[in-house]
Amino acid sequence: MWTGGAPRLLNEARYGVVWGSLGAARSSIEAARTYSVERRQFGKPIGAFQLTQQKLADMTLEYVKGYLLAVHLGRRKDAGLLRPEQVSIGKLNNVREALEICRTAATALGAQGISLEHPVVRHQNNLESVLTYEGTVEMHTLVLGQALTGMPAFR
Ligand SMILES: Cc1cc2nc3c(=O)[nH]c(=O)nc-3n(C[C@H](O)[C@H](O)[C@H](O)COP(=O)(O)OP(=O)(O)OC[C@H]3O[C@@H](n4cnc5c(N)ncnc54)[C@H](O)[C@@H]3O)c2cc1C
């Protein structure tokens, strides 16, 4: 079990990433929502089309699930009960879903999705890095694999 020193510091930083990734996701959803009610095509705002609403709804679902996960992990942390594999669940899920939210938000912005006039592509690029640091997707997956099976597959 990881307890003190460097592992403890890593756990703290990873816990921070669980929340930080949500900020990027939320900002991207807000940008997509604002654009979709302002941008008009075919005589009405693109937010009035069902496919755009589906994007907004799906992004919001994943954001809310990630938020509830972060709150749950925070409560366990406050109680001194947070386990490293639970932090792995938060880091792995929230960064992966935040990145997917950014990608979806970029599609809602059309060509503006790659413009720095909107925050989405900046968040997206940043999250591509966050996917790697504080434990790669592969390493957190293996942490969960070990927790579930009792068998380490790291080497
Ligand atoms: C923006 C940024 C900031 C960073 N900041 C810091 C920092 O402050 N401090 C610090 O120490 N490091 C930092 N890093 C380094 C980061 O922790 C490493 O990049 C990361 O651990 C992966 O190591 P690597 O790049 O050597 O990849 P490699 O070890 O070359 O791995 C390449 C790929 O293979 C996968 N892989 C490797 N071994 C296995 C295995 N046994 N099973 C399955 N898959 C495997 C990896 O998950 C990865 O996807 C930072 C990285 C980035 C991108």
Side-chain angles (χ1 to χ4, degrees):
M1 178 57 59
W2 306 346
T3 49
R8 188 171 173 186
L9 282 176
L10 282 175
N11 241 16
E12 291 290 327
R14 287 166 185 172
Y15 174 73
V17 168
V18 172
W19 283 102
S21 54
L22 287 172
R26 180 177 175 150
S27 168
S28 298
I29 295 169
E30 284 175 358
R33 197 201 68 82
T34 300
Y35 186 83
S36 71
V37 296
E38 291 174 353
R39 172 71 168 166
R40 297 180 70 86
Q41 290 287 34
F42 303 99
K44 56 185 182 180
I46 59 167
F49 293 107
Q50 290 180 349
L51 289 178
T52 305
Q53 291 189 4
Q54 183 175 39
K55 288 175 188 177
L56 295 171
D58 285 346
M59 288 189 289
T60 302
L61 274 179
E62 289 308 323
Y63 171 78
V64 170
K65 285 192 276 184
Y67 182 83
L68 291 175
L69 173 58
V71 168
H72 178 66
L73 295 181
R75 287 181 178 148
R76 290 193 65 86
K77 189 173 190 297
D78 286 347
L81 297 172
L82 187 60
R83 297 169 59 91
E85 55 269 31
Q86 292 168 334
V87 179
S88 284
I89 289 175
K91 199 276 180 181
L92 180 56
N93 181 79
N94 283 14
V95 175
R96 187 161 66 188
E97 295 307 325
L99 188 52
E100 199 52 42
I101 285 170
C102 288
R103 289 174 180 149
T104 303
T107 71
L109 291 169
Q112 294 289 320
I114 57 162
S115 166
L116 288 173
E117 283 179 32
H118 300 275
V120 177
V121 72
R122 184 169 51 81
H123 290 315
Q124 193 176 343
N125 278 340
N126 185 37
L127 286 168
E128 291 289 354
S129 300
V130 184
L131 205 58
T132 295
Y133 70 70
E134 291 309 332
T136 63
V137 170
E138 291 80 3
M139 285 303 140
H140 286 300
T141 300
L142 294 178
V143 167
L144 293 181
Q146 180 176 13
L148 290 166
T149 67
M151 293 180 276
F154 296 95
R155 53 175 64 90

